[in-house]
Amino acid sequence: MVLARLIEARGPCTLGWPRAGGGLDHFGALCRSILFQQLAGRAAATIHARFVALFDGGVATPGTVLALPPGALRAAGLSGAKAASILDLAARIVTGEIDLDHTATLDDGALIERLSSVRGIGRWTAEMFLMFQLHRLDVWPVGDLGVRKGFTLAWGLAAMPTPKELVAMGDPYRPYRSVVAWYCWRAVETLTVG
């Protein structure tokens, strides 16, 4: 069985295990995701460190973000688009349009739709939030190239499935598709084509 081979090669899935140090709150995790989009790890980490340094104790809240002087986010190294995204997220939380304190009451689809309404947060970012911050076990990010490539390698497919094709291929793994996605990413790291 494919999954058995991946589990033997990579060990147990650590997807749902809390990170050492407790991790970030939901707002902080979404800000970090926005900051890391389309940047190399080191550059993104530097900008993220400058961002958290703007706040007492290194913890941003929607209110403290909105209280920053104009230009503070840009001075910390955020692009105009990323600054606008974080400000949009903070404003929507403050107005109550998005309630990150009650994410458990929303199903995956509703939460993805709500988060995707924020400037700079698309479906992929919302899915990663569900998987890695909320530890939801049945998220199937079919648009993720690593998941598609890993599925192709692990299951020995002749061609990479389209996102639409991968939706159906993931159905047998409900309600643990997040775990399968995690092993698809590991497959990219360990398996080679041909």
Side-chain angles (χ1 to χ4, degrees), residues 14 30 41 44 65 77 88 90 104 114 141 159 171 174-175 194:
T14 59
L30 285 168
V65 165
D88 186 38
R114 196 159 295 168
D171 281 343
R174 290 179 185 268

Side-chain angles (χ1 to χ4, degrees), residues 4-66:
R5 190 176 75 243
L6 289 171
I7 292 167
E8 184 178 327
R10 294 308 303 229
C13 174
T14 59
L15 182 64
W17 297 356
R19 294 183 185 125
L24 299 168
D25 69 6
H26 295 340
F27 179 70
L30 285 168
C31 288
R32 185 180 190 282
S33 292
I34 291 167
L35 292 173
F36 271 71
Q37 290 171 351
Q38 300 177 338
L39 286 178
R42 181 173 279 167
T46 298
I47 293 170
H48 184 256
R50 288 184 198 145
F51 170 75
V52 297
L54 296 171
F55 308 99
D56 287 338
V59 178
T61 67
T64 58
V65 165
L66 293 174

Side-chain angles (χ1 to χ4, degrees), residues 72-97:
L73 293 175
R74 296 281 286 136
L78 280 71
S79 68
K82 289 182 187 210
S85 295
I86 288 175
L87 289 168
D88 186 38
L89 175 63
R92 289 174 188 247
I93 292 169
V94 166
T95 64
E97 184 179 338

